[in-house]
Amino acid sequence: KAGVTQTPRYLIKTRGQQVTLSCSPISGHRSVSWYQQTPGQGLQFLFEYFSETQRNKGNFPGRFSGRQFSNSRSEMNVSTLELGDSALYLCASSLGAVPGELFFGEGSRLTVL
Amino acid sequence: AQSVTQLDSQVPVFEEAPVELRCNYSSSVSVYLFWYVQYPNQGLQLLLKYLSGSTLVESINGFEAEFNKSQTSFHLRKPSVHISDTAEYFCAVSDRGSSASKIIFGSGTRLSIRP
């Protein structure tokens, strides 16, 4: 069974640009969550999608958005990038039956210059 | 509101020594508890979980954690660590009552093993 796949693994952007990150969950998993990981703030919850609907959202500005497609694949977008957006963005999928039982991808490391 | 406190940001131990990584949580409702491990340059992996039943849970690689409701703790232990256990460990809590809850992670404990 294939794991959670995130693309791209690494990317470099400049301030003001936008970025789109992609996540393919484990087959059969309908819940996809996104987290931002930084050395200073640790793991912070961005949002969760279940069956194409956002059902939970963290405390991030509106520049951070996401969506989920009918095949459960998810994308997150960050517009008007700031230096502080440099981070490892982790996607996690789950069946959704037990909150917290997550399967993580290896992450997309974003560097904003 | 839920919160998770991992009391130690770094724990250095010698190989084959015992280790305990501490985790305390606060919540007004019943919870599920988890430990995740992140090896260098990788995503997080579920190490073990407490959902219900026995308060002592074990992983396949020798770690165990005990749910202590009165002390609101879920400390992770291993009697003898190996170099391969070098990683960052995250305690996490989620609300038992909601199917749409946010999972709250602690700030992580970096375990470094000295030969």
Side-chain angles (χ1 to χ4, degrees):
Chain A
K1 203 173 193 181
V4 177
T5 304
Q6 291 189 245
T7 56
R9 289 291 313 281
Y10 302 91
L11 66 165
I12 300 173
K13 294 285 188 179
T14 57
R15 279 180 298 174
Q17 287 186 310
Q18 73 164 15
V19 65
T20 299
L21 308 178
S22 178
C23 172
S24 294
I26 291 173
S27 178
H29 285 191
R30 294 164 63 189
S31 170
V32 174
S33 302
W34 288 90
Y35 289 82
Q36 182 195 66
Q37 186 178 25
T38 58
Q41 300 296 320
L43 274 161
Q44 294 190 85
F45 173 77
L46 281 156
F47 26 66
E48 181 205 3
Y49 287 87
F50 185 87
S51 295
E52 302 180 66
T53 301
Q54 187 183 86
R55 68 176 183 180
N56 228 320
K57 189 176 187 305
N59 297 320
F60 277 81
R63 299 185 297 108
F64 292 81
S65 63
R67 60 177 174 169
Q68 187 180 34
F69 302 95
S70 58
N71 61 358
S72 293
R73 190 177 71 85
S74 177
E75 289 181 347
M76 67 162 284
N77 183 277
V78 187
S79 62
T80 318
L81 284 167
E82 301 177 358
L83 295 178
D85 296 334
S86 294
L88 180 66
Y89 290 88
L90 291 165
C91 166
S93 75
S94 75
L95 289 169
V98 176
E101 199 163 321
L102 304 173
F103 296 83
F104 282 84
E106 294 187 316
S108 293
R109 185 166 294 283
L110 170 64
T111 301
V112 182
L113 302 177
Chain B
Q2 296 171 335
S3 67
V4 178
T5 302
Q6 291 184 245
L7 298 164
D8 306 296
S9 59
Q10 294 188 63
V11 173
V13 294
F14 287 104
E15 195 172 14
E16 298 184 6
V19 70
E20 178 181 81
L21 307 184
R22 296 178 292 172
C23 172
N24 288 88
Y25 69 93
S26 67
S27 177
S28 59
V29 297
S30 295
V31 296
Y32 297 121
L33 293 160
F34 306 85
W35 276 99
Y36 282 84
V37 58
Q38 186 176 31
Y39 297 104
N41 300 313
Q42 294 186 25
L44 279 71
Q45 302 173 31
L46 180 64
L47 185 62
L48 47 74
K49 61 189 178 188
Y50 169 76
L51 304 181
S52 65
S54 173
T55 57
L56 183 66
V57 292
E58 299 177 351
S59 73
I60 59 172
N61 58 351
F63 282 93
E64 64 178 30
E66 186 160 20
F67 169 52
N68 187 318
K69 188 175 181 180
S70 62
Q71 297 187 4
T72 60
S73 68
F74 192 56
H75 301 331
L76 182 70
R77 302 183 182 92
K78 188 171 186 180
S80 176
V81 296
H82 189 267
I83 289 285
S84 60
D85 295 323
T86 298
E88 189 156 19
Y89 293 80
F90 294 89
C91 183
V93 61
S94 65
D95 181 353
R96 182 183 288 268
S98 171
S99 63
S101 65
K102 292 183 287 189
I103 293 83
I104 307 301
F105 284 88
S107 55
T109 298
R110 193 171 298 275
L111 177 62
S112 59
I113 313 297
R114 301 167 175 173

